[in-house]
Structure formats: C-alpha cells, structure tokens
C-alpha cells in the first residue's frame, strides 16, 4: 500500500473517454467514512460516492453478505423469477406505503421508466401527446429523455433535438404550476425531486408538496417524485417526501439503495402500478440477484443499526456546526438541506474548494457552481462531522477572502 515511489495519477487517461473533470487522485481502499489513495494518503469522505455509499466502505455486515451472494448467483435473467426481487420489492412497498416495484440499474433508467409510465398513463386515457411538468434546476439524468427533463442548459447543450412533452416551472410556486398548466388537457404528470440534488440542494417546501399532491388528485395527474439522491434514509425518513406527509404515485430510486452496487427502482402506487404490461418495459441487468441482495442487506443493516436516526442527529450536528462556524460571514448565502444531505451556498463560484479540500484530506463536491454539497455515508459519526467542519471552514474563509 505504501509505495516507496509515489504513483503519479495522470491528468487525463489515454483510453477512458474524457467525460469527467477529475481530481488528480485515485483511491485504493476504504473503511467506514475514510478512504485511502494509491499513495497511502487518507481522506475523510463527505461525498459518499455522491450519496451512493449508504453504509460507507468495507462494512462488516454488508461485505460477507455480498460475498455469499456472489458465490451463489450474480446474474440470471428476467426470463425467470428472482425471489430476491420479491423480497426487496416487498420491503420498498412496506417503507413507502406504495404497491409495486420495477427494478433497473441506475437513476436515469428509473427516471426513464417513470417518464414512460406517465406517457402510457396518458395514452391509456386517450391523450396522444402527453406532457409532463418538470422544474427549473432539476436533474434527472443524462439519457436523451432525462436530460430533456433536466433543467440545466449545460447538461442539454449539444444534444438537441431534445425530447418534447415537458412543461417547465419554478420550484415552490404553486401559482406558476397552475398558470403553466391552465387549459392544457395534455398534462399527465408532475415530476420533481423532493430535494433537488445537482441543482444545488434545493428543498421543496412541505406545504408546496402538499399543494402539488392535491392538484394532481384534482386533475388526475401522476405525482412522480425523483428520490434518487434524497431518498433511502438520507434525510432521516426513508423518503424525503415523507416529511410532507404525502405519497407520490411514482418514485424513482437508485444511488443509495445498493450501497454502491448499481441498482435502480421505480416504486409505484395504485394509480401507476398496473400501467406496464409484459413487453412494455424491461432491463437485462435490472433486478439481478447481486443488486437485489445489496438492496435487501442495505435496508436490513440500516434498520438494525438505526441509521435513519443517525442521519438526523449527525446531520443536525453538522448543520449546526457549519452554521456556528460561518455565522455572520460575508459571502455565505445559505446552509440548506436535511439530515445528511446538506448544501452550503456561497455568494461566489467555489469549484476550487473540491481540490483544496482533497489536498487537506476531505472529499466533498461543489454543485450549481457555488454550493458545497455534503452527502456522506449514513454511518458518519458526530466526531467525523466535526472533522469535516474543521477542514472545510478555513478553506471556505480563505476562498471568500481571495474573492472579496
Ligand atoms: C444522480 C441522479 C440521477 C441520475 O442517476 P444515474 O444513476 O447517474 O443515472 C437522477 N436523478 C437524481 C435526482 C439524481 O441525483
């Protein structure tokens, strides 16, 4: 592990396609919320693989379960019944109060399925050109349909023509939703993130979610809540919309559901559960035994170890520590989010912080140009949260001083 000669990480890979702005570091292994690079340097991981590594790294309960599964079956085919699909679906139904689940492998795939459900919902009731309400600053993925639903021009640039059939509105503004859809008989669904992730950690107000739920009921629209990033216990409830006491009709999941094993799911309530029939949708890898076992075990361990409660207490602790540290600091706009999904918005672009934090042994991300995002593993401790603040705060103050 401790190579005498440092391994130089190339700025650009000669063979991997150049689609990411990467830091010049490569990780070799991890333990809990800590990871080490190929040269043995340690980092505190406040990014969690972008809200994916629910149980941190090398979890003592998850690893043996996955090893057991790998030795039995990794993949079969949806030509056959896969009992672990039933097990995970039953659990997701119990936690969500919804009724049926389709499994896939990624977030965009889950959202793609949601978009298809909404369109077929429309066609089934005689709407030939169904339209879906989507949001400014939304992020739903990078397939052609999901990037069309996304509200970030940078994600869309160069990939037109976009998929049609989306109506865009601002967040937390019920009057805009009403006026943008007034007299439009083609609307079939409202599609939103309970807390926008890539868009800058922007929570939907609970009252707004309740108003949208009511409007969807009145108009016979599907309420589709993308919980790919904010779901799976991250905010302290299984799903972030549950803080508003509502239920969606369609709920795409992915990221944290398998603690790092690729997995996606679309959970549907009674209004959407029977729209698809055999032949309407499918996925080769979707629901394979390894991914399903990862989902089942992730949820089991979260329950056993009280990780929803941990997300609340450590999240509140982290938020309070950040607020304390940055109190009255000119250049700090807002600290937002819930549980272990937190954003610190500065008044200036702060992308440099990602590299500077890594130099100091902390992994974070910056999204929407000026929002520091923390979405660590749900096993993070208060002491680790304090450590995050201890590294981050001086870097933020220094950057704000430079840019003042
Ligand atoms: C990450 C993300 C997606 C896309 O997930 P992929 O697995 O990268 O396709 C979709 N929606 C939200 C809210 C996300 O955060």
């Amino acid at each position: 592990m401790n190579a005498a000669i440092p391994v130089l990480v190339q700025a650009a890979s000669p063979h991997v396609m150049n689609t990411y702005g990467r830091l010049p570091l490569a990780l070799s292994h991890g333990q809990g919320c800590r990871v080490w690079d190929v040269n043995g340097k340690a980092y505190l991981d406040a990014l969690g693989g972008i809200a994916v590594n629910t149980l941190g790294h090398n979890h003592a309960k998850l690893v043996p379960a996955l090893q057991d599964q790998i030795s039995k079956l990794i993949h079969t085919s949806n030509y056959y019944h896969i009992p672990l699909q039933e097990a995970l679906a039953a659990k997701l139904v119990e936690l969500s109060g919804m009724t049926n689940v389709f499994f896939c492998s990624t977030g965009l795939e889950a959202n793609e399925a949601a978009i298809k459900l909404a369109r077929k919902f429309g066609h089934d009731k005689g709407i030939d050109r169904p339209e879906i309400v989507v949001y400014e600053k939304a992020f739903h993925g990078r397939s052609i349909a999901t990037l069309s639903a996304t509200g970030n021009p940078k994600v869309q640039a160069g990939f037109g023509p976009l998929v049609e059939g989306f109506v865009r509105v601002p967040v937390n503004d019920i009057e805009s939703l009403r006026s943008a859809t007034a007299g439009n008989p083609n609307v079939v669904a409202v599609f939103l993130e309970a807390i926008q992730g890539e868009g800058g950690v922007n929570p939907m107000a609970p009252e707004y979610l309740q108003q949208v739920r009511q409007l969807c009921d009145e108009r016979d629209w599907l309420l589709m809540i993308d919980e790919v990033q904010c779901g799976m216990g991250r905010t302290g409830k299984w799903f972030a919309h549950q803080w508003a006491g509502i239920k969606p009709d369609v709920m795409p999941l992915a990221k944290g559901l398998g603690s790092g094993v690729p997995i996606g799911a679309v959970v549907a309530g009674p209004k959407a559960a029977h729209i698809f029939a055999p032949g309407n949708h499918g996925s080769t890898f979707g629901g394979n035994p390894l991914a399903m076992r990862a989902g089942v075990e992730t949820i089991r361990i979260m329950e056993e170890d009280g990780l929803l409660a941990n997300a609340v207490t450590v999240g509140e602790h982290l938020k309070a520590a950040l607020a304390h540290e940055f109190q009255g600091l000119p250049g700090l706009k807002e600290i937002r989010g819930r549980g272990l999904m937190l954003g610190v918005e500065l008044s200036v672009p702060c992308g440099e912080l990602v590299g500077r934090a890594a130099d100091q042994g902390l992994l974070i991300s910056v999204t929407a140009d000026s929002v520091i995002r923390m979405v660590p593993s749900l096993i993070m401790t208060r002491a680790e949260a304090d450590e995050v603040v201890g590294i981050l705060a001086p870097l933020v103050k220094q950057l704000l001083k430079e840019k003042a």
Side-chain angles (χ1 to χ4, degrees), residues 106-108 111 139-141 193 198 226 228-229 255:
T106 66
L108 80 78
N111 285 333
F139 183 83
H140 297 297
E193 294 154 87
E198 303 305 303
D226 180 346
V228 167
Q229 188 162 156
K255 291 200 166 89

Side-chain angles (χ1 to χ4, degrees), residues 27 29-37 41-45 57 363:
L27 298 171
H29 62 290
Q31 182 64 51
C33 288
R34 202 77 54 179
V35 287
W36 285 265
D37 71 16
K41 178 177 169 179
Y43 302 81
L44 180 59
D45 184 4
H57 304 279
L363 303 184

Side-chain angles (χ1 to χ4, degrees), residues 96 98-100 110-118 121 188-192 213 221-227 241 247-253 265-273 275-276:
S96 66
M98 298 164 77
T99 62
N100 293 77
N111 285 333
E112 192 81 27
I115 293 166
K116 283 181 68 175
L117 276 173
F121 174 74
V188 291
V190 175
F191 190 21
L192 55 80
R213 175 69 274 178
W221 300 338
L222 296 177
L223 174 54
M224 311 205 295
I225 304 190
D226 180 346
E227 292 260 358
H241 67 263
K247 260 187 229 176
D249 301 300
V250 177
M251 175 173 69
L253 297 174
V266 189
V267 187
K271 214 162 142 183
I275 293 172
F276 283 160

